[in-house]
Amino acid sequence: MLSGGGARGAYEVGVLRYVREKLRVDTRFDVITGTSVGAINGAYLAATCDRPRAQARMLQRVWSDLTIDNVYHFGWEQLRNLPTAFFGKNLPKISHGGRVGGLVDARYLEKIVRTQIPWAGITENLRQGKLSAFACTATELATGICTTFVQNTGNDVAPLWAAAYNEAVVPTTIAPAHALASAAIPGLFPAVRVNDHFFVDGMLRQNTPLRPAIRLGANRLLIVALDHVENAKRARERKRERDQFVFPNAFFLLGKTLNALMLDRMEVDMVQIRRLNQLIDAGKQLYGEDFANRISSEMHRQEPFREVKLVVIQPSHDLSQIAWDVVRRTGLRHYSGLTARLIRRSMDASREFEAGENDFASYVLFDPTYLREVIELGYSDAQANHDDLIELFDRSEEPHKK
């Protein structure tokens, strides 16, 4: 499960490099799910999972080509279209994959997604049994419905997956438009038309796509989250005490808005999974090994309840602190575009409100220095969880598959 978070997505690359290159066990992913930048990383993994040892290093090379000025290009065309971005207008019919709106020129990022990911590999790897399913999540612009696009072996959805309220499940052959839609931050990047509807970033409704993975049959979950492991309550109290007498500027507020969007149901879902695991374990001790089958049958479930193993890898250091330090050290002097100037201006806000932190920069800083340090952090955090990862990928108890 790969989360969304803009430039923070480089952290996922570091985790994947360690998993693929250092565990020395079968690290096959049966199900891959992603949201926003996690959908792009996930699509790359799904398309190249026939080359497990090399794919993470290959993905890192793709990330190394990204720069602030390329990803967030803003020129005369965007300036001319500002009234449309703010006030909208009636549009002619736009075909599948078409884009509309956005404050930046996203053509470079679109080119990377379309050309650097071998999209036909997803279908081929599913056909060869190297992958069971790939899913990515986007938000339907008109309704706000959380939509999960799913491609699996039979191109159908597991029978247990009845869409919940405000959720849609769409079986399809996943293409660049789906990943670009999942990563389309509203207002910043253009909305993307998929079939008959426009979609924007899946991070708005489901930043860490845990539930789709479970619905697709996964019973061991590797979750790569992009928020700091620091206790959330302690962090809130520290920032409340420090910032209570100063009114923040726009950059500070934008960083906090992006943080708020990342606060999805993942923690709630994980608590529910752990409680269900405890219930099944207690039921087996009291009523026998067939407890899960019996209770599922009584509830008329098509499949029994099952225990789910969880390993969560998330940053041991605050990525906003790393971003602040990189901007302070480099000054981003080798960039001339508007985005780099805005990041430098945002440093004034971080000095006033959050000395040593810059949430805004941590999402938009597609700078090789920052990306490299975030990748290295992901690698070291995965290394710190080596034993848990080995246990997660232990397939010794699985039935032998011919």
Side-chain angles (χ1 to χ4, degrees):
M1 276 120 283
L2 302 173
S3 304
R8 294 184 178 201
Y11 181 85
E12 297 168 348
V13 180
V15 173
L16 292 165
R17 278 203 59 184
Y18 187 85
V19 168
R20 290 306 207 191
E21 298 174 10
K22 296 298 181 180
L23 290 188
R24 304 301 179 187
V25 295
D26 180 5
T27 59
R28 180 179 71 253
F29 295 120
D30 301 295
V31 175
I32 298 171
T33 64
T35 295
S36 193
V37 71
I40 296 175
N41 284 339
Y44 192 95
L45 291 182
T48 61
C49 61
D50 54 321
R51 291 169 280 175
R53 288 291 183 193
Q55 66 175 175
R57 190 174 295 271
M58 291 158 45
L59 180 58
Q60 182 171 340
R61 284 200 293 268
V62 174
W63 274 83
S64 68
D65 290 334
L66 301 177
T67 67
I68 296 173
D69 287 346
N70 285 335
V71 174
Y72 299 109
H73 178 70
F74 186 90
W76 286 108
E77 181 179 350
Q78 286 69 48
L79 186 62
R80 186 174 63 250
N81 291 333
L82 276 178
T84 300
F86 284 111
F87 303 110
K89 69 174 183 178
N90 292 327
L91 296 169
K93 184 173 178 58
I94 297 176
S95 61
H96 174 82
R99 303 168 300 148
V100 63
L103 293 176
V104 300
D105 184 347
R107 283 178 292 186
Y108 179 82
L109 183 59
E110 180 179 353
K111 179 182 176 182
I112 291 290
V113 170
R114 291 186 181 278
T115 62
Q116 296 299 311
I117 299 176
W119 290 95
I122 298 177
T123 300
E124 183 62 19
N125 287 326
L126 287 167
R127 187 186 68 80
Q128 293 184 11
K130 299 181 183 298
L131 180 71
S132 297
F134 171 57
C136 64
T137 301
T139 304
E140 187 180 340
L141 184 60
T143 63
I145 289 176
C146 176
T147 303
T148 302
F149 300 103
V150 182
Q151 183 176 357
N152 63 5
T153 306
N155 204 28
D156 54 7
V157 179
L160 276 179
W161 201 351
Y165 172 74
N166 233 7
E167 177 189 25
V169 181
V170 180
T172 187
T173 299
I174 293 179
H178 300 96
L180 289 167
S182 182
I185 300 173
L188 189 61
F189 289 119
V192 179
R193 190 178 187 94
V194 178
N195 298 324
D196 296 327
H197 305 283
F198 282 103
F199 290 86
V200 293
D201 205 311
M203 187 170 65
L204 297 178
R205 298 303 302 268
Q206 183 174 255
N207 189 46
T208 304
L210 188 152
R211 285 172 289 167
I214 293 176
R215 297 297 192 183
L216 287 164
N219 56 17
R220 288 172 292 157
L221 307 180
L222 172 56
I223 302 170
V224 186
L226 301 180
D227 54 328
H228 184 211
V229 74
E230 180 185 17
N231 179 272
K233 182 177 180 180
R234 186 170 68 248
R236 284 196 302 268
E237 291 303 320
R238 173 173 56 83
K239 294 178 180 180
R240 182 180 294 124
E241 180 179 351
R242 185 185 60 209
D243 302 332
Q244 61 180 321
F245 300 113
V246 190
F247 185 79
N249 67 17
F251 296 109
F252 180 92
L253 291 174
L254 181 56
K256 295 307 176 189
T257 299
L258 291 171
N259 276 346
L261 291 176
M262 291 184 66
L263 297 176
D264 63 358
R265 284 181 50 88
M266 185 185 75
E267 293 292 339
V268 175
D269 288 340
M270 288 196 300
V271 168
Q272 291 177 340
I273 289 171
R274 289 178 175 127
R275 286 177 178 171
L276 181 59
N277 287 344
Q278 292 173 347
L279 176 64
I280 293 174
D281 186 61
K284 287 180 179 180
Q285 294 184 40
L286 289 172
Y287 303 108
E289 288 296 317
D290 64 340
F291 169 76
N293 292 331
R294 290 164 56 193
I295 195 69
S296 299
S297 175
E298 188 68 23
M299 296 177 65
H300 305 290
R301 286 175 59 93
Q302 294 180 342
E303 291 188 7
F305 289 108
R306 62 185 188 277
E307 294 183 72
V308 177
K309 294 181 180 179
L310 291 173
V311 172
V312 182
I313 310 292
Q314 59 190 130
S316 57
H317 297 285
D318 195 331
L319 299 184
S320 67
Q321 293 178 349
I322 296 176
W324 186 91
D325 186 57
V326 168
V327 177
R328 180 189 59 81
R329 290 191 335 252
T330 67
L332 305 181
R333 287 179 291 273
H334 49 295
Y335 294 106
S336 59
L338 175 64
T339 304
R341 291 198 294 272
L342 292 176
I343 294 173
R344 287 193 290 266
R345 289 291 300 274
S346 73
M347 290 294 287
D348 295 332
S350 63
R351 290 189 184 98
E352 293 177 19
F353 301 104
E354 295 186 276
E357 302 174 14
N358 193 318
D359 291 318
F360 170 69
S362 72
Y363 290 99
V364 302
L365 193 58
F366 284 91
D367 172 74
T369 301
Y370 172 69
L371 298 178
R372 182 174 59 252
E373 293 186 16
V374 172
I375 289 172
E376 291 172 355
L377 179 63
Y379 188 94
S380 65
D381 286 344
Q383 185 177 29
N385 288 271
H386 178 90
D387 292 343
D388 289 337
L389 289 170
I390 289 292
E391 183 180 354
L392 183 73
F393 284 103
D394 180 9
R395 301 176 185 269
S396 60
E397 297 181 1
E398 285 189 352
H400 177 67
K401 294 182 180 179
K402 295 183 179 180

